[in-house]
Amino acid sequence: MEIRQQLKHYQSRVDNHLENCLPSESIDPLLQESMRYSLFNGGKRVRPALVYLVNQILGGTDEAADNAAAAIECIHSYSLVHDDLPAMDDDDLRRGKPTCHIAYDEATAILAGDALQCLAFELLANDQQQSADSKIKLIQLLSQASGHGGMVVGQSFDLRHVGKPLTLEQLEAMHQHKTGALLLCAVHMGAACGPRVSKEQLDALTRYALAIGLAFQVQDDILDIEGDSETIGKPQGSDLELNKPTYPALLGLEGAKLKLTKLHHEAIEALTIFNENAEPLRALADFIVRRDH
Amino acid sequence: MEIRQQLKHYQSRVDNHLENCLPSESIDPLLQESMRYSLFNGGKRVRPALVYLVNQILGGTDEAADNAAAAIECIHSYSLVHDDLPAMDDDDLRRGKPTCHIAYDEATAILAGDALQCLAFELLANDQQQSADSKIKLIQLLSQASGHGGMVVGQSFDLRHVGKPLTLEQLEAMHQHKTGALLLCAVHMGAACGPRVSKEQLDALTRYALAIGLAFQVQDDILDIEGDSETIGKPQGSDLELNKPTYPALLGLEGAKLKLTKLHHEAIEALTIFNENAEPLRALADFIVRRDH
């Protein structure tokens, strides 16, 4: 299967699963609707795909990874809803559609985000496919990656430094927290919901995840300069306009492209110990550096 | 020990424990500081006290309840931070101190709340005193009580109905979600982190929790009319001013007081099957209906 097809496959798998996980009744149907609106916004589901693919490579079944994949997407979705708020990035559009606080209102968006974060942990705790020990491991991974030591602090560091110069080291630390931690977490969750993984395999997967995590961000920064507004779903050049620190700003556009190639190689190299089973992960790395949105 | 002393005792116990749970290093110290500011805001720690007391009555040790008590307080704290935001209740003061978004800024307050919610689940997953099965049970209880089926939907229902008439049934459903679910959860978490609890005991504790949960809210509404602004920590009459539905508005002030007495009796009656060990829970029910802030 081509990686785009494989992504589509896992996209519909996790979407179906999320559909079943969402509450069907509520004393406030609008909250439910806004949660659904935020979850089903046309996202590529890269994190769930990583969970499924890593789990598959290590010999696990897709059923075993369903809740982990859905949970990490709930976290990703909630972070987008809160990041888009007027007090944060103040974005009206995401992937060409009104953001949650525009489609509903600010209070609803705050609460939808809160409820989505909570749902992630509820899904993991209620996972019928996993032992209690595995469930705890998955919750540890997700909570460590997404809170004060991971995604949330990355976002707050980012906001704190808009318009301020960052060193390359600081920029890297920011991205490692803001987006890298959750991508690494996806890979670790994939490993945690399948059969046993060796230390060597986990180390290799970790190196892979760190490389594609940064590559993802470098390519994002490049697309902000070179991409087409309609394709990337936000005004082209909006990062530069907001005076956000980016790789091209620090390394130049060519330097950033060189960095992207280096990270791409690191990701592929890390997978050497795996046989052709790891082909989809290699293809995903290619996909990340070549995507146009 | 008097209940006030006992509350003080558990207040410092959970505060010490929270102090140890908070991160000591961060790439964004301001996020950390805002989390600490929100957690240590002079709260009465009623939910942690319920966790400790119920666990104690059932023969558990305080150590076994530390993480559960800290976790539920993290959830309560995050909900206050988000509820106070301009897009929600827009409160500048809480317990006489600037709210988180006033002391810091809105973005920091949103993220501090997000990080506190996440920390709650991280604490439960990392609990050294509990088996994996108990940890999962605790996470199930807390996630069910605090998300789309509990606290968060209560808050969104509340916001959706400001200025609109509510029936007594709707008002009760709102409070059962908004504040009752977490108080009930505290009691169930206390039962889950100790030795085995019988069905009869759990039913009795549930009835107790439902009664004090509503009593808490009825007394809040009464205090909004009768209380002293300085003592209650918000402008007296502010609920009426915001045209918020309250028990006194629906039942009259005397009717609300009658309801409070009825709920108080229900709470005490529910504890009949417990011996003098349950004295602190009885005293806590007395404390809730008699408190002046």
Side-chain angles (χ1 to χ4, degrees):
Chain A
M1 231 193 289
E2 278 281 308
I3 186 66
R4 275 172 203 275
Q5 275 176 285
Q6 205 143 19
L7 281 179
K8 275 240 170 310
H9 167 75
Y10 282 127
Q11 191 179 31
S12 26
R13 184 173 181 103
V14 78
D15 282 1
N16 281 335
H17 193 68
L18 280 166
E19 191 64 58
N20 294 331
C21 296
L22 277 175
S24 56
E25 274 194 8
S26 175
I27 58 162
D28 184 28
L30 221 54
L31 175 72
Q32 238 181 302
E33 202 189 298
S34 65
M35 289 170 72
R36 183 177 301 270
Y37 181 85
S38 310
L39 265 177
F40 299 103
N41 67 349
K44 290 184 287 294
R45 312 300 197 201
V46 170
R47 291 152 200 81
L50 276 170
V51 174
Y52 282 120
L53 287 171
V54 168
N55 169 64
Q56 190 195 67
I57 286 164
L58 298 170
T61 64
D62 285 347
E63 286 73 25
D66 280 335
N67 273 35
I72 201 166
E73 194 63 16
C74 287
I75 293 289
H76 178 58
S77 278
Y78 113 71
S79 78
L80 299 182
V81 173
H82 282 188
D83 287 1
D84 288 337
L85 286 167
M88 308 265 268
D89 293 350
D90 195 13
D91 280 318
D92 289 358
L93 288 177
R94 179 166 291 275
R95 302 198 187 93
K97 277 173 63 191
T99 47
C100 187
H101 65 277
I102 298 291
Y104 298 88
D105 56 60
E106 254 186 87
T108 304
I110 294 167
L111 292 168
D114 290 344
L116 284 170
Q117 175 172 194
C118 190
L119 180 62
F121 295 108
E122 192 177 348
L123 288 181
L124 292 178
N126 290 329
D127 196 335
Q128 302 285 330
Q129 302 283 327
Q130 299 290 342
S131 67
D133 282 329
S134 298
K135 292 197 270 192
I136 288 300
K137 177 75 188 161
L138 290 164
I139 294 166
Q140 285 172 336
L141 288 169
L142 192 59
S143 60
Q144 274 158 34
S146 61
H148 64 82
M151 186 184 74
V152 169
V153 78
Q155 173 69 1
S156 73
F157 183 91
D158 190 3
L159 287 169
R160 210 79 66 204
H161 290 86
V162 172
K164 290 184 192 159
L166 282 189
T167 64
L168 192 60
E169 246 181 13
Q170 287 178 307
L171 183 69
E172 211 125 304
M174 178 181 93
H175 288 313
Q176 262 155 8
H177 287 83
K178 193 179 166 187
T179 52
L182 208 58
L183 287 165
L184 178 60
C185 178
V187 164
H188 286 171
M189 285 177 85
C193 60
R196 277 191 73 77
V197 56
S198 73
K199 192 183 170 309
E200 195 193 4
Q201 288 174 321
L202 199 60
D203 285 351
L205 289 167
T206 300
R207 274 184 293 131
Y208 167 81
L210 291 172
I212 63 161
L214 271 189
F216 196 87
Q217 198 51 54
V218 177
Q219 176 66 347
D220 237 30
D221 288 355
I222 294 172
L223 283 173
D224 186 67
I225 295 174
E226 293 196 327
D228 173 62
S229 294
E230 210 167 305
T231 324
I232 62 177
K234 62 177 178 179
Q236 183 252 331
S238 63
D239 290 348
L240 282 179
E241 224 169 87
L242 285 169
N243 207 359
K244 282 198 169 190
T246 65
Y247 283 96
L250 279 169
L251 301 173
L253 187 56
E254 284 316 305
K257 285 181 179 176
L258 221 64
K259 171 111 191 155
L260 183 65
T261 307
K262 196 172 152 269
L263 289 167
H264 185 200
H265 286 163
E266 271 176 38
I268 301 300
E269 197 272 328
L271 297 174
T272 314
I273 63 159
F274 296 99
N275 56 16
E276 66 276 13
N277 284 345
E279 213 41 62
L281 288 185
R282 295 188 185 96
L284 188 63
D286 300 346
F287 172 77
I288 284 173
V289 301
R290 287 183 197 135
R291 79 206 153 91
D292 59 1
H293 66 287
Chain B
M1 231 192 289
E2 278 281 308
I3 186 67
R4 276 172 203 274
Q5 274 176 287
Q6 203 141 21
L7 280 179
K8 276 240 170 309
H9 167 74
Y10 283 127
Q11 190 180 31
S12 26
R13 184 172 182 105
V14 77
D15 282 1
N16 282 336
H17 192 68
L18 280 166
E19 190 64 59
N20 295 330
C21 296
L22 276 176
S24 56
E25 274 193 10
S26 175
I27 58 163
D28 185 27
L30 221 55
L31 176 71
Q32 239 181 300
E33 203 188 297
S34 64
M35 289 170 74
R36 182 178 302 270
Y37 181 85
S38 310
L39 265 178
F40 298 104
N41 67 348
K44 290 184 287 293
R45 312 300 197 201
V46 169
R47 291 152 200 82
L50 275 171
V51 175
Y52 283 119
L53 287 172
V54 168
N55 169 64
Q56 190 196 67
I57 287 165
L58 297 170
T61 64
D62 284 348
E63 286 72 26
D66 280 334
N67 273 35
I72 201 166
E73 194 63 16
C74 286
I75 294 288
H76 179 57
S77 278
Y78 113 70
S79 78
L80 298 183
V81 172
H82 282 188
D83 286 1
D84 287 336
L85 286 167
M88 307 263 270
D89 292 351
D90 195 14
D91 279 319
D92 289 359
L93 289 176
R94 178 166 291 276
R95 301 196 189 95
K97 278 174 63 191
T99 47
C100 187
H101 66 277
I102 298 291
Y104 298 87
D105 56 60
E106 252 186 270
T108 305
I110 294 167
L111 292 169
D114 289 344
L116 283 170
Q117 174 171 193
C118 190
L119 180 61
F121 295 108
E122 194 177 347
L123 289 180
L124 291 178
N126 290 328
D127 196 336
Q128 302 285 329
Q129 302 283 328
Q130 298 291 341
S131 68
D133 282 330
S134 297
K135 291 197 271 191
I136 289 300
K137 178 73 189 165
L138 289 165
I139 294 166
Q140 286 173 336
L141 288 170
L142 192 58
S143 59
Q144 275 159 33
S146 61
H148 65 82
M151 187 185 73
V152 169
V153 79
Q155 173 68 2
S156 73
F157 184 89
D158 190 4
L159 287 168
R160 210 80 67 206
H161 291 85
V162 173
K164 290 182 190 160
L166 281 190
T167 64
L168 192 60
E169 245 181 12
Q170 286 178 307
L171 183 70
E172 210 125 305
M174 178 182 94
H175 289 312
Q176 261 155 8
H177 288 83
K178 193 179 166 187
T179 52
L182 209 56
L183 287 165
L184 178 60
C185 179
V187 164
H188 285 171
M189 285 176 86
C193 59
R196 278 190 73 77
V197 56
S198 72
K199 193 183 168 306
E200 194 194 4
Q201 287 173 321
L202 199 60
D203 285 350
L205 289 166
T206 300
R207 274 184 292 131
Y208 168 80
L210 291 173
I212 63 161
L214 271 189
F216 197 86
Q217 198 51 53
V218 177
Q219 176 66 347
D220 237 29
D221 288 353
I222 293 172
L223 283 173
D224 185 66
I225 294 175
E226 293 196 329
D228 174 62
S229 293
E230 209 168 306
T231 323
I232 61 177
K234 61 176 179 178
Q236 183 252 334
S238 62
D239 290 349
L240 282 180
E241 224 169 85
L242 286 167
N243 207 359
K244 282 198 168 187
T246 65
Y247 284 95
L250 278 169
L251 302 174
L253 187 56
E254 283 317 303
K257 287 182 178 176
L258 221 63
K259 170 113 191 156
L260 184 64
T261 307
K262 196 172 153 268
L263 289 166
H264 185 200
H265 286 164
E266 271 175 41
I268 300 299
E269 197 272 331
L271 297 173
T272 313
I273 63 157
F274 296 99
N275 56 17
E276 66 275 12
N277 283 346
E279 213 42 63
L281 287 185
R282 295 187 185 97
L284 187 64
D286 299 347
F287 172 76
I288 285 173
V289 302
R290 286 184 199 135
R291 78 203 153 92
D292 59 1
H293 66 287

